[in-house]
Amino acid sequence: MASAIKRLALQAPAGARLASGASASAGKHALAHAKMWENITLFGVIPVLAIASYMTYEHEKSHHEPPPEFKPYEHMRIRKKNFPFGDGKRSFFHNPERNALPDGYEVEIHH
């Protein structure tokens, strides 16, 4: 994107107004700002995103806990109607390790 801005600024005729109320020297000013934002993106935003992503991944990796013990309470997991897909017992986003069916978990988690 910065290179497109540079090309646009360089293609303007010498007497053309590049911005509202600007003179012919506005092209150099636009090039300077384009280069500044390109450097901020490359050397500021991208490294910060990479570091934040790594820190979040490491933090989440160390916090996996087993699901709570299954207790067959009568008021929980009441199914008046089966789900309209699959076997009707599992929701669309069912996770066999984390989501219990009415009779318990399908899979035991081993750490």
Side-chain angles (χ1 to χ4, degrees):
M1 181 166 158
S3 62
I5 294 171
K6 288 177 191 176
R7 274 188 267 123
L8 182 64
L10 292 175
Q11 289 176 355
R17 290 178 46 168
L18 298 175
S20 177
S23 64
S25 65
K28 292 179 183 177
H29 184 72
L31 285 175
H33 271 285
K35 188 64 177 168
M36 177 191 71
W37 283 108
E38 183 179 3
N39 287 336
I40 287 173
T41 301
L42 291 175
F43 301 113
V45 175
I46 293 174
V48 168
L49 282 174
I51 291 168
S53 298
Y54 175 75
M55 290 174 63
T56 303
Y57 174 76
E58 289 298 320
H59 179 73
E60 289 298 319
K61 189 171 72 170
S62 66
H63 281 86
H64 281 289
E65 299 173 359
E69 178 186 344
F70 178 77
K71 297 178 183 171
Y73 294 124
E74 292 181 19
H75 67 281
M76 295 178 72
R77 291 173 286 278
I78 296 173
R79 307 275 201 273
K80 299 267 185 204
K81 246 178 19 172
N82 286 340
F83 290 112
F85 40 80
D87 62 355
K89 294 181 180 179
R90 292 163 183 81
S91 70
F92 191 70
F93 298 105
H94 181 75
N95 181 346
E97 296 178 352
R98 299 285 175 183
N99 303 120
L101 294 173
D103 56 347
Y105 291 105
E106 295 177 77
V107 178
E108 292 294 323
I109 298 178
H110 302 315
H111 288 283

